[in-house]
Amino acid sequence: MSKNVLRIENATMQFGGVVAVDNLNLEINQGEIVALIGPNGAGKTTAFNVTTGVYQPTNGAVWFNGEKIIENHPQGKMKKLYKGENDGKYTHVLAPTPDKITKLGMARTFQNIRLWKSQTVFNNVLIAKHCRTTAGVASAIFRLNRREEERQRQEVLELLEVVGLADVKDELATSLPYGKQRRLEIARALAAEPTLLLLDEPAAGMNPQETDELTAFIGEIRDKFNLTIFLIEHHMNLVMNISDRIYVLDFGKLIAEGTPAEIQNNKRVIDAYLGVAEDA
Amino acid sequence: MTLKKKQTIFTAAVLLVLLLASMALDATLPSYHIAITCVKKATVYALVAVSMNLLNGFTGLFSLGQAGFMLLGAYAYGVLCIPVAKRAGVYQYFDGGLIQFSLPEIFAGFLGDTIGSTVGMLVALAIGGLLAAAMAYLIALPVLRLKSDYLAIATLGFAEILKAFFQWNALGPITNGSNLLKSYPSFEKGTSYILLAGAMIAIIVLLINSTYGRAFKAIRDDEVAAEAMGINLSKHKRLAFVISSFFAGVGGGMLAMYNGTIAAAPFKSALTYEILLIVVIGGIGSITGSVLASFLYIFSSEWLLRGLDSGTFLGINAPGIFKNGFRMAVFSVIIMIIVLFFRKGIMGDRELPDLLVRRNKKSRKEAAGK
């Protein structure tokens, strides 16, 4: 069996009295494409935010490449309010900020595009390389890091070539058409040199043709950059085409997991999310 | 010739012309002439405005503590540079003060009079900057957790506290309490100011175009995305804050040099607002804009509009209208016109080299739509 990349363990995220993610357990192995699906408000993006450090889980842990990177247990006011399971199982607090998690090799895109608006396409990708910069401020100011900077610029050019944005590299990021902005967000995430890529609804707002292109693109970059991919998506064509395994969330709880074929025939998933065709 | 090459030559040419112009002014006019005074003051304001722009315009941190950091730089400069022989007179209420050395004199001891005292003055300016930077580092931890207006209020409060603290009598042996510090040496020529402030601004430009500067802009554009892409927010915000404060401190030292005397009272919030006004008029996020606006602001308020107060303006003699205070009324109207019709400031977010690039209609439309 291949190496385990990401493991979310008994993760519960509770906001006040609302349990957004309830005792979530999932595993992603090296080289897999795993999808997280579910109806709106099921807690998919919250699960992403817990994984990437934007939120601190109320209870539970996250492991990355065999190392525990996040852990928390109910504290303070939450002690009384806590409605989830496994209370008392975790005793440590490990809460790195998102940038530290990105440096470990996990990069993400956003559901609503978050590009740096005043910057060109090229700079958007180049800035993502900043977290791999070793030069200090003084050597950056006095250009003593020229070799590193040159190398980074070269890498960004190559990356833009791969994702097909080389011809628009000097345009403002926001002047690109929607589909290309999505692609740029993925390119930017790739520039941070991740081993695990998290895509939050990469096909949102895309037409069927753009969605097909994106499906092929995700497969391509997985092979080319040796990635493991974890994605949230509502386009079932895309999900069923490229996922190795699928997890289904409903009201914060995991209701199913399995291969696309298994999920498509799972009664609970059909009731909660997929539904049946009208003429069936 | 590529565009980039053209831009480099254009920038270098403009800077060279400006430098030669200031040297010509120095050579032809006496040093007390109003033009040279304006050049000096405008250069100091330009440096402080650029340092504020680094924070407000490039990193997106709305801070109003500039006057406080300038005060630190000014006092450090004065305290370290007053000649030993004159200390008894300056600190007459505090038995000649606590500190009994003067950096320009120490350096003059082994580097010769001219070079030595210049080096000593520069070292004192740098110490002022470092002091401001150290203070910024200390207050960054609590203050930078705040956002937008709250950050502005906190930094403004910090500057006011600092001002009061420096007037405290118990500190008299060092700060001279609420009495003036004076008799310290200063640069005579406008060109010296321009060279010094120019070097400082050049360092800020290099910083902004480096990988760290790009990270600052990313934080300004979208903090969440910046953090998700591995940019440590607290580290980078603190870095911008500390660097900006360093240059504000140096600028404060230069302002002390220009004024000839130092007291805590002028470093009030109105000074910060003046700088903020310059940054806004010049264009938030444009170094060129800040420098240009400083010169326009200082030249018109100190010199060109003077006639509005004293009876004759542009050859029109109307003592009934052009009397005390009318200048400020006209000035306010000019500022309102700028704010209404140049919403993004004179330069927007463009720099000197960008002036060679003619914006096409599409991008101009976009800029207008924003």
Side-chain angles (χ1 to χ4, degrees):
Chain A
M1 204 186 129
S2 59
K3 207 180 97 203
N4 184 276
V5 175
L6 180 76
R7 186 148 66 89
I8 301 178
E9 195 184 276
N10 303 321
T12 301
M13 184 74 229
Q14 184 174 338
F15 298 102
V18 180
V19 183
V21 173
D22 195 356
N23 202 29
L24 175 66
N25 281 285
L26 64 77
E27 276 183 33
I28 299 174
N29 298 317
Q30 173 74 45
E32 273 186 319
I33 296 182
V34 174
L36 183 62
I37 62 172
N40 288 329
K44 304 180 298 291
T45 298
T46 308
F48 255 39
N49 283 341
V50 164
T51 313
T52 53
V54 177
Y55 296 148
Q56 202 182 346
T58 317
N59 191 40
V62 177
W63 298 69
F64 184 55
N65 288 330
E67 206 179 315
K68 194 189 277 180
I69 56 166
I70 298 170
E71 181 176 351
N72 199 13
H73 57 92
Q75 302 163 61
K77 254 198 311 196
M78 217 16 113
K79 244 181 195 162
K80 248 194 233 162
L81 278 175
Y82 188 60
K83 292 197 278 197
E85 298 162 55
N86 291 311
D87 196 2
K89 185 174 177 189
Y90 298 94
T91 51
H92 294 282
V93 176
L94 201 59
T97 46
D99 58 281
K100 301 223 169 57
I101 292 175
T102 304
K103 276 184 198 137
L104 291 176
M106 203 192 283
R108 70 174 291 182
T109 64
F110 293 89
Q111 188 175 350
N112 39 353
I113 299 175
R114 279 180 174 276
L115 291 167
W116 294 305
K117 295 188 184 66
S118 70
Q119 301 295 307
T120 60
V121 170
F122 183 81
N123 269 1
N124 261 281
V125 182
L126 185 59
I127 291 170
K129 285 264 174 221
H130 179 71
C131 67
R132 302 291 171 208
T133 302
T134 53
V137 191
S139 61
I141 290 177
F142 297 108
R143 302 292 186 265
L144 304 174
N145 62 339
R146 213 171 256 163
R147 198 176 297 163
E148 185 180 60
E149 173 105 11
E150 235 6 87
R151 199 199 66 225
Q152 287 186 347
R153 284 176 183 273
Q154 201 53 45
E155 285 170 358
V156 170
L157 277 182
E158 284 162 16
L159 188 58
L160 285 175
E161 204 70 58
V162 169
V163 301
L165 292 172
D167 49 333
V168 289
K169 71 184 175 65
D170 292 322
E171 304 214 4
L172 274 186
T174 41
S175 68
L176 294 186
Y178 190 79
K180 284 194 171 174
Q181 289 195 21
R182 285 261 171 223
R183 209 169 256 246
L184 175 58
E185 249 210 342
I186 296 176
R188 184 178 70 173
L190 289 175
E193 298 166 27
T195 51
L196 173 66
L197 183 64
L198 294 95
L199 305 172
D200 196 347
E201 298 201 21
M206 284 189 175
N207 61 32
Q209 191 210 332
E210 284 175 321
T211 310
D212 288 346
E213 283 171 19
L214 182 75
T215 312
F217 177 63
I218 293 175
E220 264 168 44
I221 56 170
R222 189 256 311 255
D223 298 337
K224 188 158 176 83
F225 297 97
N226 208 1
L227 291 171
T228 308
I229 292 175
F230 184 23
L231 65 102
I232 295 175
E233 192 44 74
H234 283 297
H235 282 67
M236 281 309 122
N237 277 343
L238 185 152
V239 171
M240 297 302 168
N241 271 338
I242 58 170
S243 307
D244 296 310
R245 286 185 301 118
I246 297 172
Y247 286 89
V248 189
L249 271 184
D250 190 28
F251 291 110
K253 273 195 177 299
L254 206 57
I255 57 169
E257 62 169 287
T259 61
E262 289 167 3
I263 293 297
Q264 273 167 322
N265 298 311
N266 185 312
K267 179 145 189 333
R268 280 189 75 186
V269 179
I270 294 172
D271 287 346
Y273 181 50
L274 294 180
V276 281
E278 266 172 30
D279 54 357
Chain B
M1 204 174 350
T2 60
L3 181 67
K4 214 166 176 190
K5 235 181 187 170
K6 261 190 205 168
Q7 287 179 326
T8 319
I9 293 172
F10 173 66
T11 314
V14 170
L15 294 180
L16 192 68
V17 167
L18 288 178
L19 185 65
L20 290 176
S22 87
M23 285 165 87
L25 276 183
D26 273 334
T28 50
L29 297 172
S31 65
Y32 52 81
H33 192 276
I34 183 79
I36 291 183
T37 316
C38 282
V39 165
K40 286 180 183 171
K41 190 171 182 189
T43 337
V44 175
Y45 271 56
L47 173 58
V48 183
V50 170
S51 86
M52 191 173 198
N53 211 341
L54 170 67
L55 205 54
N56 292 23
F58 289 96
T59 321
L61 293 172
F62 187 37
S63 156
L64 293 177
Q66 236 57 10
F69 297 115
M70 288 171 79
L71 174 123
L72 278 172
Y75 266 92
Y77 180 75
V79 168
L80 293 172
C81 287
I82 296 173
V84 176
K86 291 184 179 160
R87 285 193 183 246
V90 173
Y91 289 94
Q92 54 177 323
Y93 302 108
F94 298 98
D95 298 332
L98 196 66
I99 294 169
Q100 288 301 338
F101 63 84
S102 157
L103 284 182
E105 290 178 358
I106 293 175
F107 281 94
F110 50 89
L111 284 172
D113 253 1
T114 6
I115 301 175
S117 56
T118 311
V119 170
M121 284 153 75
L122 292 177
V123 170
L125 283 176
I127 290 175
L130 290 174
L131 202 64
M135 183 56 88
Y137 187 88
L138 284 180
I139 68 162
L141 200 63
V143 160
L144 289 185
R145 288 161 177 259
L146 304 169
K147 289 206 172 120
S148 63
D149 334 10
Y150 301 100
L151 175 63
I153 293 167
T155 45
L156 194 63
F158 154 77
E160 289 296 316
I161 293 169
L162 210 58
K163 190 181 76 165
F165 184 69
F166 269 71
Q167 290 174 317
W168 187 24
N169 237 18
L171 285 178
I174 297 170
T175 64
N176 210 10
S178 51
N179 308 303
L180 292 177
L181 288 178
K182 55 189 178 215
S183 308
Y184 47 82
S186 53
F187 293 143
E188 225 173 81
K189 296 203 182 301
T191 312
S192 324
Y193 282 75
I194 288 195
L195 283 177
L196 184 55
M200 300 284 141
I201 292 172
I203 291 176
I204 298 180
V205 171
L206 283 172
L207 169 72
I208 284 168
N209 292 327
S210 78
T211 174
Y212 284 89
R214 290 193 295 265
F216 293 163
K217 290 181 212 163
I219 293 174
R220 171 192 67 187
D221 283 0
D222 192 324
E223 227 177 86
V224 176
E227 194 173 29
M229 297 321 299
I231 295 169
N232 186 335
L233 288 186
S234 57
K235 184 185 145 195
H236 284 82
K237 283 181 178 179
R238 189 167 62 205
L239 189 66
F241 194 55
V242 166
I243 293 177
S244 162
S245 305
F246 173 83
F247 290 110
V250 173
M254 289 175 72
L255 187 66
M257 219 185 241
Y258 160 80
N259 279 337
T261 57
I262 301 168
F267 293 94
K268 52 188 183 237
S269 48
L271 178 63
T272 306
Y273 297 144
E274 258 185 316
I275 307 287
L276 181 65
L277 188 67
I278 289 171
V279 172
V280 172
I281 291 176
I284 293 174
S286 168
I287 303 278
T288 317
S290 291
V291 175
L292 202 62
S294 304
F295 275 79
L296 284 176
Y297 177 85
I298 296 298
F299 270 77
S300 49
S301 74
E302 298 283 317
W303 183 18
L304 302 178
L305 297 182
R306 273 279 172 209
L308 290 174
D309 266 3
S310 55
T312 314
F313 184 65
L314 295 177
I316 306 166
N317 194 5
I321 305 171
F322 295 161
K323 59 186 175 191
N324 249 358
F326 191 65
R327 177 175 56 118
M328 287 328 282
V330 172
F331 207 69
S332 313
V333 172
I334 294 177
I335 287 166
M336 273 193 267
I337 289 173
I338 288 180
V339 171
L340 282 174
F341 295 101
F342 296 86
R343 243 171 243 184
K344 297 177 83 192
I346 302 171
M347 295 293 289
D349 55 1
R350 293 184 304 160
E351 298 292 355
L352 194 54
D354 299 333
L355 293 179
L356 278 190
V357 189
R358 193 162 293 161
R359 285 196 288 178
N360 55 27
K361 263 188 190 152
K362 195 181 141 207
S363 68
R364 198 175 294 172
K365 230 182 242 167
E366 266 167 21
K370 257 176 207 165

